[in-house]
């Protein structure tokens, strides 16, 4: 009888102690150190609190072959801008300001403007005009022909101009014009290349990849390299992988172009029911870089450690991204309600079935995609029961301790 009363009294005491401890911790919350203001403090100290915005509308698309083909087609064809560059058909090298030009004038026979009558005075029937640099106005000077504007013209066109100006003074004149040193018609290749340099454009033109090869090639893989072309005061960007995959993007460069390579690693983020950060290969974050040019969802999940076998809901794997309206319209969706050209879209994968895995291994990832692995519905119940079980066990232990001390 005494033992029962002691146990009951111990249980009551332990319950009271537990309640008092909980109340004390709640009342002393302001004294517990924190590394930042909590939500309540942030909200209560605000001078003005605006009304929350309406929920952002988005499109949820369970993956299927039609959706998969449409989004992959856009992913593979994204960024095709170089083929539409103005002036991309440049082939003939024209004379530019600063170039060093040589001119040779021929006459049909001696006794003309440039060739003396005495047959033995000099060999040949030509005369070399001293080399000269094209001035800031784009002109050169030729004896008896005057000042000639040559910038922007090909050497052949300048030869015809000289011949026309001399034909009434020389004997059947012919002229050969060549560029000894190109200083105005050059392209520059800079940035993340092995040998940055500046060089003149070849007579037949030079293509983008050839120019990068002259500069020693890129320092980093193509899927981490972005190419910027500066032309006529405007800049155009495209990934190097896109240029490699699409030959039409390997455009002819124009004089004055600046090619700049930048290393911009592509990344994706993974949240939800995947292994905890730091448990996979020491990676202490949920932001991962691409390892190849065409990374798939299956590869991305594998790099993040896969699904958590205890918490993950294999039927609810989501990929978040912004999609252009033309792509969504191609799938057959009505997107007029979205005010911008990009609409928030979520792709859903059911990886509890085999076809979900095939779809995941075919789905092309893009830069800054967000992957979310939903929790299984049972996880919330487990979370609720864990603290209750812990409290029950602790209360029992306290009761047992008090009972043993009596």
């Amino acid at each position: 009888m005494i033992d029962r009363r002691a146990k009951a009294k111990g249980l009551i005491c332990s319950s009271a102690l537990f309640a008092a401890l909980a109340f004390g911790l709640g009342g002393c919350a302001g004294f517990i150190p924190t590394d930042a203001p909590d939500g309540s403090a942030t909200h209560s100290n605000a001078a003005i609190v605006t009304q929350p915005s309406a929920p952002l509308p988005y499109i949820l698309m369970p993956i299927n072959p039609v959706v998969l083909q449409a989004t992959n087609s856009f992913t593979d064809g994204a960024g095709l801008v170089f083929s539409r560059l103005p002036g991309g058909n440049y082939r003939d090298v024209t004379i530019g300001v600063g170039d060093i030009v040589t001119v040779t004038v021929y006459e049909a026979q001696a006794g003309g403007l440039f060739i003396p009558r005495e047959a033995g005075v000099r060999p040949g029937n030509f005369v070399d005009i001293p080399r000269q640099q094209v001035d800031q106005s784009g002109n050169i000077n030729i004896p008896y022909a005057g000042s000639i504007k040559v910038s922007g013209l090909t050497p052949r066109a300048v030869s015809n101009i000289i011949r026309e100006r001399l034909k009434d003074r020389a004997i059947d004149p012919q002229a050969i014009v060549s560029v000894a040193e190109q200083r105005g018609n050059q392209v520059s290749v800079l940035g993340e290349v092995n040998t940055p340099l500046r060089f003149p454009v070849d007579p037949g033109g030079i293509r983008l990849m050839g120019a990068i090869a002259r500069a020693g090639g890129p320092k980093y893989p193509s899927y981490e390299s972005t190419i910027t072309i500066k032309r006529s005061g405007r800049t155009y960007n495209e990934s190097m992988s896109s240029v490699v995959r699409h030959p039409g993007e390997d455009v002819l460069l124009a004089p004055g172009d600046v090619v700049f390579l930048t290393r911009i690693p592509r990344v994706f983020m993974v949240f939800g029911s995947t292994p905890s950060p730091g448990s996979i290969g020491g990676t202490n974050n949920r932001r991962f870089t691409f390892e190849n040019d065409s990374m798939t969802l299956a590869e991305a999940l594998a790099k993040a450690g896969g699904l958590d076998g205890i918490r993950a809901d294999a039927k609810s794997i989501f990929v978040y991204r912004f999609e252009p309206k033309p792509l969504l319209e191609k799938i057959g969706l009505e997107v007029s309600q979205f005010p911008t050209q990009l609409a928030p879209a979520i792709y859903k994968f059911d990886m509890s079935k085999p076809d979900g895995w095939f779809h995941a291994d075919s789905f092309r990832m893009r830069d800054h995609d967000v992957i979310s692995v939903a929790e299984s519905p049972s996880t919330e119940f487990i979370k609720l029961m864990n603290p209750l079980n812990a409290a029950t066990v602790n209360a029992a232990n306290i009761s047992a301790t008090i009972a043993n001390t009596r």
Side-chain angles (χ1 to χ4, degrees):
M1 185 67 178
I2 296 175
D3 186 53
R4 289 183 189 175
R5 289 179 180 177
K7 289 184 177 180
K9 187 176 181 180
L11 182 59
I12 294 172
C13 290
S14 62
S15 300
L17 178 63
F18 180 78
L21 181 60
F23 177 79
L25 290 175
C28 298
F31 297 97
I32 298 176
T34 60
D35 58 359
D38 60 13
S40 176
T42 302
H43 193 279
S44 62
N45 285 277
I48 299 175
V49 180
T50 62
Q51 292 298 320
S53 60
L56 178 69
Y58 58 85
I59 299 171
L60 178 61
M61 294 179 286
I63 202 71
N64 59 52
V66 175
V67 173
L68 182 65
Q69 182 181 6
T71 186
N72 280 348
S73 297
F74 183 84
T75 301
D76 294 338
L80 303 182
V81 297
F82 288 166
S83 58
R84 299 191 295 270
L85 279 175
N89 293 325
Y90 176 87
R91 285 187 179 276
D92 294 325
V93 177
T94 58
I95 300 172
V97 174
D99 287 352
I100 305 299
V101 178
T102 63
V103 179
T104 302
V105 179
Y106 290 80
E107 286 193 277
Q109 62 186 36
L113 184 61
F114 296 100
I115 310 301
R117 291 183 180 276
E118 295 78 7
V121 173
R122 50 160 294 161
N125 61 337
F126 63 89
V127 60
D128 289 322
I129 307 298
R131 292 168 43 154
Q132 54 187 304
Q133 188 173 27
V134 181
D135 62 23
Q136 288 294 325
S137 299
N139 300 327
I140 61 172
N141 291 297
I142 302 297
Y144 305 107
S147 179
I148 300 175
K149 188 173 183 62
V150 298
S151 63
L153 301 178
T154 63
R156 177 174 296 183
V158 177
S159 299
N160 293 333
I161 293 174
I162 295 174
R163 180 178 59 81
E164 286 296 319
R165 292 197 181 185
L166 295 177
K167 67 180 182 179
D168 296 331
R169 308 189 66 177
I171 302 174
D172 192 15
Q174 302 291 325
I176 295 178
V177 178
S178 61
V179 179
E181 296 180 26
Q182 283 190 337
R183 299 182 180 179
N185 293 331
Q186 296 188 334
V187 297
S188 302
V189 184
L190 309 171
E192 300 294 347
V193 291
N194 289 297
T195 311
L197 80 165
R198 188 168 184 258
F199 59 90
V201 178
D202 293 335
I206 185 168
R207 293 190 177 274
L208 173 62
M209 298 301 284
I212 294 175
R214 279 197 183 186
K219 289 184 178 180
Y220 300 99
S222 61
Y223 59 86
E224 291 188 349
S225 300
T226 296
I227 303 174
T228 299
I229 297 179
K230 181 179 179 182
R231 176 178 295 178
S232 302
R234 299 188 63 182
T235 57
Y236 307 85
N237 301 302
E238 188 171 336
S239 70
M240 191 170 185
S241 294
S242 178
V243 177
V244 172
R245 290 197 308 267
H246 303 93
E249 301 301 297
D250 187 16
V251 294
L252 286 163
L253 296 178
D257 279 355
V258 176
V259 179
F260 197 92
L261 267 68
T262 309
R263 185 192 184 195
I264 305 179
R266 294 187 296 165
V267 300
F268 63 92
M269 285 73 71
V270 183
F271 300 95
S273 300
T274 58
S276 300
S279 62
I280 303 299
T283 302
N284 197 27
N285 58 46
R286 291 189 175 276
R287 181 176 180 270
F288 302 90
T289 57
F290 280 56
E291 291 184 346
N292 52 51
D293 184 38
S294 56
M295 199 166 192
T296 66
L297 174 59
E299 291 177 298
L301 287 172
K303 187 170 185 179
L307 308 184
D308 189 315
I310 297 176
R311 299 184 299 125
D313 181 5
K315 296 181 179 181
S316 301
I317 314 298
F318 303 100
V319 177
Y320 291 69
R321 66 167 58 146
F322 286 91
E323 291 288 19
K325 284 185 177 179
L327 168 61
L328 300 173
E329 291 172 346
K330 182 178 179 180
I331 298 174
L333 301 177
E334 174 56 47
V335 293
S336 59
Q337 61 176 307
F338 296 98
T340 62
Q341 291 300 313
L342 296 175
I346 304 175
Y347 294 92
K348 180 182 178 181
F349 293 80
D350 182 356
M351 298 181 71
S352 66
K353 300 177 181 178
D355 58 348
W357 288 91
F358 286 113
H359 288 153
D361 197 35
S362 302
F363 184 85
R364 299 282 192 275
M365 296 291 293
R366 296 186 204 156
D367 186 28
H368 279 80
D369 274 352
V370 177
I371 301 172
S372 175
V373 180
E375 288 188 339
S376 173
S378 61
T379 303
E380 294 299 323
F381 179 75
I382 294 174
K383 288 181 179 179
L384 176 63
M385 294 303 297
N386 283 339
L388 295 178
N389 292 335
T392 303
V393 172
N394 289 337
N397 291 336
I398 293 172
S399 299
T401 302
I402 293 175
N404 291 332
T405 58
R406 292 182 179 275

